[in-house]
Amino acid sequence: MSRSRVVVVGAGFAGFQAARTLSRTLRDEAEVVLLNPTDYFLYLPLLPQVAAGILEPRRVTVSLPGSLPRVRLVLGRATGVDLEGRHVHYEGPEGGSGRLDYDRLVLAVGSVNKLLPVPGVAEHAHGFRGLPEALYLRDHVTRQMELAATAESVEERTARRTFVVVGAGYTGTEVAAQGALFTRALAQRLRTGHPEPPPRWILVDIAERVLPELDRKLSDTADRVLRERGVEVRTRTSVKEATASGALLDDGDDIATRTLVWCVGVRPDPLVSEVGLPVERGRLVVDSRLTVPGHPEVFACGDAAAVPDVTRPGEYTPMTAQHASRQGRTAGVNVAASLGRGTARAYSHHDLGFAVDLGGVKAAANPLGVALSGPLAGAVTRGYHLAAMPGNRVRVAADWALDAVLPRQAVQLGLVRSWSVPLDTASPELARVGGAHSKEQ
């Protein structure tokens, strides 16, 4: 008698936890297949530390075959779902295509960079959703500082040492905070022959404060640390136009820069809207048990799903890693229950607090609602990340220890070029290969 097959699409926080829960619950009673473009789970919260040269890239990646031994990994990007035929179409890493039949389907495809109709942004800005983008940004920032050291004109030196981050949420705030420390260290090592002001970092957001989605105390702490570090925080401001040599803000300020980092938020993977089922702002509508109404064999979780928030009736859970991880575990439990193993349950979660790493020993955190700042918050934040990571804890802790006592190795590896990490992509986890090569930015 053939075993049932469960196909999990996506290995982000939700997909990884769903696959792990299923493999532990079902063991050999059903086949669990994980479809993902890469062979690793990416721990996104530590990505800014990769861009700042604190952590090596492999530290924030966890091997899927190594951590999910009972799960069959299929490398590929889902391109479509046939609900009637019960199979998923995908494109392989080398251009081929395939099909996976399923008895149960878990859609956890995650999210991509949110785009806004701002002229020039798609061409001249870079997002921060995948490892290739972090590697590119580390090389790019290092290169701009090195080129600025040898530039003849004051205007060029100033532009290359100016960095604009758009979006003051989690990612943008951490990128600006870590980036300011990184470029300060670079500036101290580079001999310019010219008296230069410190590198300039500008954080722009249309909201009235940084981290607008968090508690005011956390927001104020982050704002204070950023300003003490020299970051210019521009709230109630947005980018009106982007060019290869600058960014025009809606307050009329035209900033000469070669670096525009786009961190305005995320949107669900476009695949979700193409499935042909009801969506809410691009997220698949599900019930409290993460099942798609009318299709009891289809489950969705994480950024791909509009999950009812039982703690706030009438609203949906926000698109955060904290919710995605817990929804993934709930989806795994409920899929197993649908196959006769265990009991299904509704998704319910109360936030345990948030943590924002601001670089060095600085952080802002509120574990269990207790607002913390300074070194204590830094220790709590790093402890949380070590506990939340499904692997590589010793290696991450070792990198942190080395960074505390040794200077960072700031070199350009040249592995990721600007044309290979476009902002408008449905697969930020993959660097684009082939095609026309654009001039490096």
Side-chain angles (χ1 to χ4, degrees), residues 181-218:
L181 290 179
F182 183 42
T183 53
R184 181 188 300 173
L186 288 175
Q188 292 172 349
R189 291 184 226 165
L190 294 171
R191 295 188 177 183
T192 65
H194 313 281
E196 298 288 355
R200 184 186 182 194
W201 282 81
I202 304 170
L203 180 61
V204 176
D205 199 297
I206 194 65
E208 65 175 12
R209 59 188 175 94
V210 300
L211 300 173
E213 67 274 27
L214 298 188
D215 178 83
R216 169 69 73 169
K217 291 183 179 179
L218 294 185

Side-chain angles (χ1 to χ4, degrees), residues 46 49 54-55 357 378-379 381-386 389 393-405:
L46 292 181
Q49 296 192 27
I54 299 172
L55 296 177
D357 194 321
T381 298
R382 291 196 167 185
Y384 168 78
H385 287 315
L386 289 179
M389 288 191 71
R393 296 185 183 93
V394 174
R395 291 185 173 93
V396 169
D399 272 8
W400 283 340
L402 290 174
D403 182 68
V405 298

Side-chain angles (χ1 to χ4, degrees), residues 323-343:
H323 278 293
S325 293
R326 289 161 176 79
Q327 288 171 11
R329 285 194 286 269
T330 300
V333 167
N334 292 348
V335 170
S338 74
L339 295 173
R341 192 67 184 264
T343 304

Side-chain angles (χ1 to χ4, degrees), residues 40-251:
Y40 60 80
F41 159 77
L42 175 64
Y43 190 75
L44 271 169
L46 292 181
L47 206 56
Q49 296 192 27
V50 173
I54 299 172
L55 296 177
E56 288 304 307
R58 286 186 297 176
R59 304 295 187 255
V60 300
T61 60
V62 177
S63 168
L64 294 175
S67 57
L68 302 172
R70 295 189 187 92
V71 176
R72 180 162 71 92
L73 173 66
V74 175
L75 289 178
R77 183 178 65 85
T79 56
V81 177
D82 184 340
L83 296 172
E84 298 302 320
R86 292 197 179 189
H87 49 251
V88 178
H89 295 280
Y90 69 91
E91 181 181 274
E94 296 185 350
S97 60
R99 191 185 86 176
L100 287 171
D101 297 327
Y102 64 82
D103 296 290
R104 299 292 186 273
L105 174 66
V106 180
L107 286 173
V109 288
S111 54
V112 298
N113 293 307
K114 179 189 290 184
L115 299 178
L116 298 177
V118 179
V121 162
E123 294 79 15
H124 304 293
H126 288 282
F128 203 80
R129 288 293 299 164
L131 193 56
E133 293 169 320
L135 292 174
Y136 166 74
L137 184 60
R138 185 168 72 175
D139 271 8
H140 175 80
V141 170
T142 303
R143 181 170 58 255
Q144 295 312 306
M145 292 294 294
E146 292 172 347
L147 290 175
T150 57
E152 293 296 331
S153 69
V154 175
E155 291 77 12
E156 182 181 350
R157 293 199 299 271
T158 301
R160 292 192 182 278
R161 290 163 64 97
T162 299
F163 308 90
V164 179
V165 180
V166 185
Y170 275 105
T171 303
T173 298
E174 291 189 346
V175 167
Q178 298 280 6
L181 290 179
F182 183 42
T183 53
R184 181 188 300 173
L186 288 175
Q188 292 172 349
R189 291 184 226 165
L190 294 171
R191 295 188 177 183
T192 65
H194 313 281
E196 298 288 355
R200 184 186 182 194
W201 282 81
I202 304 170
L203 180 61
V204 176
D205 199 297
I206 194 65
E208 65 175 12
R209 59 188 175 94
V210 300
L211 300 173
E213 67 274 27
L214 298 188
D215 178 83
R216 169 69 73 169
K217 291 183 179 179
L218 294 185
S219 175
D220 291 344
T221 297
D223 186 273
R224 183 180 68 255
V225 172
L226 289 169
R227 293 180 189 276
E228 289 174 352
R229 205 163 283 171
V231 177
E232 298 177 32
V233 180
R234 305 277 193 94
T235 55
R236 296 190 178 94
T237 307
S238 63
V239 174
K240 186 176 181 180
E241 182 180 1
T243 66
S245 59
L248 176 62
L249 305 185
D250 62 0
D251 61 4

